[in-house]
Amino acid sequence: MRKNIVAGNWKMNKTLQEGVALATELKNALATKPNCEVVIGTPFIHLATVSELLKGSCIEVAAENCANKASGAYTGEVSAAMVASTGATYCILGHSERRAYYGETYEILKDKVLLALENNLKPIFCIGEVKEEREANKQNEVVKAQLEGSVFNLSAEDFGKLVLAYEPVWAIGTGLTASPEQAQEIHAYIRSLVSDKYGKEVAENCSILYGGSCNGKNAAGLFANADIDGGLIGGAALKCEDFKAIIDAF
Ligand code: PEP
């Protein structure tokens, strides 16, 4: 059975001290095990401290990115091996902000996914269309190309280690959420693509998260759908109370 997951993405927010405070608050708030897996994605410099702090808790830690090279003369980059050495277990890859602002192509992302997997990190691989593509009804072809370009090269065994996150770019940080019907429709399509490529069992076991202005008010309506297995949360992951409200939707 696939897992339900609520994953936070702090992006470039929180100093180390603020991050430690939020992680501590979350750990205390989730002392009673929630009905889903909980992951927090933090900036690189927080990973080691936050992973140590959350050891033995029900909260897993994710990096928000990793390098597309294994090691060497790449000043300022952080490798998948370095991420794994902090105790983090997940790595968010392919976020639309990385694609848009840092030129992450299908090929670059393909390499990042392979390196994350080689280092036993579970990628949370983000896909989703921009507003113009949704308006032109091209969302299905966009997500198909993103999957084919960066992750459909994987073996079924490796693909099984991925979590997918459908994030319509027009809904990220905008307050515009995809309706539960819109989200369910494309999540079902994404699962059908996985099924066509890897078979029904792999598709049924694949967690597909929704991301884009998800909050404590709309989460339950989204998560009630058969193919929506949780959320990737930006803004609402920055406050314990807001994040916990989404977790409590399960
Ligand atoms: C995100 O950036 O992954 C995201 C879903 O952001 P927000 O929840 O703020 O829309």
Side-chain angles (χ1 to χ4, degrees):
M1 259 311 276
R2 60 187 179 255
K3 285 186 201 166
N4 289 325
I5 302 171
V6 173
N9 173 14
W10 291 359
K11 310 193 184 187
M12 197 173 74
N13 293 297
K14 307 281 177 198
T15 62
L16 177 59
Q17 291 74 20
E18 289 165 349
V20 165
L22 176 56
T24 306
E25 212 184 337
L26 273 171
K27 183 181 169 180
N28 295 335
L30 300 178
T32 307
K33 205 175 176 309
N35 294 324
C36 62
E37 185 159 321
V38 177
V39 182
I40 53 175
T42 83
F44 287 131
I45 62 147
H46 301 38
L47 290 174
T49 314
V50 169
S51 296
E52 185 62 31
L53 183 109
L54 296 177
K55 226 183 231 172
S57 79
C58 63
I59 308 171
E60 304 265 331
V61 179
E64 299 173 13
N65 181 28
C66 72
N68 62 331
K69 299 283 192 273
S71 67
Y74 301 101
T75 303
E77 287 294 288
V78 176
S79 72
M82 292 172 188
V83 169
S85 74
T86 66
T89 50
Y90 281 90
C91 188
I92 299 169
L93 290 173
H95 192 281
S96 60
E97 288 151 16
R98 300 290 322 168
R99 292 179 193 260
Y101 308 148
Y102 301 96
E104 295 198 352
T105 60
Y106 294 171
E107 281 302 313
I108 288 173
L109 289 170
K110 190 194 256 185
D111 290 341
K112 290 189 177 199
V113 169
L114 288 170
L115 285 162
L117 288 169
E118 270 172 32
N119 288 282
N120 297 316
L121 294 169
K122 293 170 268 189
I124 299 177
F125 187 72
C126 307
I127 54 177
E129 79 286 356
V130 299
K131 184 164 162 271
E132 294 71 26
E133 291 162 339
R134 170 63 68 161
E135 284 167 355
N137 202 27
K138 290 197 163 148
Q139 61 275 12
N140 285 8
E141 59 187 270
V142 170
V143 296
K144 184 167 190 258
Q146 289 169 331
L147 291 170
E148 287 176 347
S150 304
V151 293
F152 275 2
N153 57 303
L154 297 172
S155 66
E157 190 189 345
D158 276 346
F159 187 87
K161 298 169 189 162
L162 254 59
V163 171
L164 298 180
Y166 168 67
E167 299 206 304
V169 182
W170 48 270
I172 295 179
T174 58
L176 293 173
T177 318
S179 69
E181 295 73 26
Q182 273 176 324
Q184 165 58 25
E185 188 181 357
I186 191 154
H187 278 231
Y189 173 68
I190 292 165
R191 200 177 304 286
S192 77
L193 293 174
V194 176
S195 183
D196 291 347
K197 174 74 189 170
Y198 293 108
K200 202 166 170 358
E201 194 181 336
V202 173
E204 281 305 314
N205 287 330
C206 180
S207 297
I208 308 177
L209 314 185
Y210 167 80
S213 298
C214 186
N215 58 41
K217 290 205 174 81
N218 58 29
L222 287 159
F223 299 170
N225 290 280
D227 291 294
I228 303 180
D229 309 310
L232 180 56
I233 317 298
L238 296 174
K239 271 200 203 150
C240 179
E241 195 190 341
D242 296 348
F243 194 50
K244 171 112 181 355
I246 297 172
I247 293 163
D248 287 346
F250 277 117

